[in-house]
């Protein structure tokens, strides 16, 4: 057999639903405006909400990543003093990994972002020694509208 | 580590469909942000009665403000309490994975989705008159 493929941990990772889960992070930047990437928690479901108190500097970026791969799931650019409550989504790709462009023949290309496993957060350019609160809301119970958000 | 971060994970056993009735009494034409409890699910209905309570009818242009307690971010901002009882199902315009609002278009339909909440919420009233009274009811769908 050429090459290898090993399942980490020896088996697919599963998780029992906890309903709707909130992962909240109190962020404090250093003098360079950075919060080094850290593991915020585990999430197994749809990322259906984010909440942010606007505490970091304008142009500060909060990036949410899948811990194991480092892939970016969601990015929020701060406007100082502007609180944000939003429902994130992502543009789907086709089976070759190419983003599906919205068109009259392809509407509804934005779908919920799904996460499974540990989630990391990192902050850049957030201002000197500023504090902010950022929360992720994950629906592990599958409460979403069927057929549209699945 | 540069900077610091402290995280808290909160989940609660779902209670199915949950209703909270909030009796409002203004002081100086407002109700300050007041905790109304913790909810973990979808906000599926908002109802209000501007004539409830013993005080004057709630000013029709009064604002209903529902916020996330921890961050203060606005979940619902309805700037018209209205002159009669009402019911509606709220939604929110989705954002993309960079936080930019996805504009509705013939090529981008279904951009309004259910609002999810998780944790303690606050309600506030603004732009009412003196000691107006009224009622707001919220319905959440939590996991069964």
């Amino acid at each position: 057999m050429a090459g290898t493929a090993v399942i980490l941990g020896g088996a697919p990772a599963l998780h029992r639903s906890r309903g709707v889960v909130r992962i909240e992070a109190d962020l404090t930047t250093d003098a360079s405006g950075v919060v080094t990437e850290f593991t915020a928690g585990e999430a197994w479901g749809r990322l259906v909400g984010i909440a942010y108190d606007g505490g970091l500097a304008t142009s500060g970026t909060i990036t949410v990543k899948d811990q194991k791969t480092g892939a970016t799931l969601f990015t929020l650019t701060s406007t100082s003093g502007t609180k944000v409550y939003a429902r994130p989504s992502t543009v789907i790709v086709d089976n070759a990994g190419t983003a599906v462009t919205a068109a009259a023949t392809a509407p509804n290309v934005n779908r919920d972002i799904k996460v499974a496993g540990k989630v990391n957060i990192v902050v850049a350019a957030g201002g000197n020694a500023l504090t902010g609160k950022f929360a992720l809301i994950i629906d592990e119970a599958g409460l979403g509208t069927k057929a549209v958000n699945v | 580590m540069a900077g610091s971060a402290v995280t808290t994970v909160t989940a609660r056993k779902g209670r199915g469909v949950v209703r909270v009735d909030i009796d409002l009494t203004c002081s100086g034409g407002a109700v300050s942000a007041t905790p109304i409890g913790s909810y973990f699910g979808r906000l599926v209905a908002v109802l209000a009665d501007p004539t409830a309570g013993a005080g004057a009818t709630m000013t029709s242009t009064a604002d209903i403000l529902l916020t996330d307690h921890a961050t203060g971010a606005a979940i619902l901002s309805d700037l018209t309490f209205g002159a009669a009882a009402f019911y509606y199902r709220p939604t929110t315009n989705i954002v993309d994975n960079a936080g930019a609002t996805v504009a509705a278009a013939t090529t981008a339909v279904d951009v309004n989705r259910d609002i999810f909440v998780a944790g303690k919420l606050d309600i506030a009233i603004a732009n009412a008159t003196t000691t107006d009274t009224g009622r707001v009811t919220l319905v959440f769908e939590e996991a069964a």
Side-chain angles (χ1 to χ4, degrees):
Chain A
M1 187 176 78
T4 62
V6 178
I7 298 174
L8 298 178
L14 306 174
H15 185 78
R16 184 182 295 276
S17 168
R18 296 170 293 176
V20 175
V21 180
R22 180 185 183 104
I23 298 175
E24 186 173 288
D26 288 310
L27 308 166
T28 303
T29 58
D30 66 7
S32 302
V34 168
V35 176
T36 301
E37 187 168 329
F38 66 97
T39 299
E42 283 189 50
W44 300 78
R46 298 179 303 139
L47 177 59
V48 291
I50 64 100
Y52 168 59
D53 70 354
L56 303 181
T58 295
S59 299
T61 58
I62 302 169
T63 303
V64 180
K65 297 181 174 184
D66 174 70
Q67 187 218 34
K68 260 183 184 149
T69 63
T72 295
L73 303 172
F74 178 78
T75 302
L76 181 71
T77 302
S78 171
T79 298
S80 180
T82 300
K83 303 173 194 298
V84 178
Y85 198 93
R87 179 161 176 171
S89 66
T90 191
V91 172
I92 54 174
V93 301
D94 63 17
N95 62 359
T98 303
V100 177
T101 303
T105 54
N108 188 28
V109 296
N110 277 74
R111 307 286 169 85
D112 287 330
I113 297 168
K114 298 228 180 188
V115 296
K118 290 182 179 173
V119 175
N120 283 9
I121 294 174
V122 61
V123 174
N128 181 2
L130 295 179
T131 60
K133 194 180 284 286
F134 180 75
L136 303 170
I137 299 172
I138 299 101
D139 172 21
E140 296 188 345
L143 289 174
T145 311
K146 302 294 186 291
V148 173
N149 297 332
V150 291
Chain B
M1 187 175 91
S4 69
V6 178
T7 60
T8 307
V9 179
T10 313
R12 188 172 66 186
K13 185 173 175 57
R15 298 170 292 180
V17 176
V18 180
R19 174 187 178 120
V20 55
D21 294 299
I22 307 148
D23 287 325
L24 303 160
T25 301
C26 294
S27 174
V31 175
S32 302
T34 303
I36 58 168
S38 293
Y39 306 90
F40 290 79
R42 296 189 293 164
L43 173 60
V44 291
V46 176
L47 305 89
D49 178 3
T51 65
T57 297
M58 186 68 72
T59 304
S60 63
T61 53
D63 308 339
I64 304 169
L65 306 167
L66 181 68
T67 53
D68 177 65
H69 179 80
T71 63
I75 297 167
L76 179 80
S77 179
D78 185 339
L79 305 184
T80 307
F81 204 106
F86 69 79
Y87 159 91
Y88 59 64
R89 178 164 177 166
T91 64
T92 189
N93 199 148
I94 56 171
V95 300
D96 64 17
N97 60 4
T101 299
V102 180
T106 54
T107 56
V109 298
D110 188 35
V111 295
N112 274 72
R113 310 275 173 91
D114 287 332
I115 299 168
F116 273 79
V117 300
K120 189 185 289 186
L121 306 181
D122 288 348
I123 198 163
I125 299 293
N127 295 318
T129 304
T130 58
T131 55
D132 287 354
T133 58
R135 174 177 293 161
V136 169
T137 297
L138 305 173
V139 180
F140 301 91
E141 183 185 6
E142 299 188 341

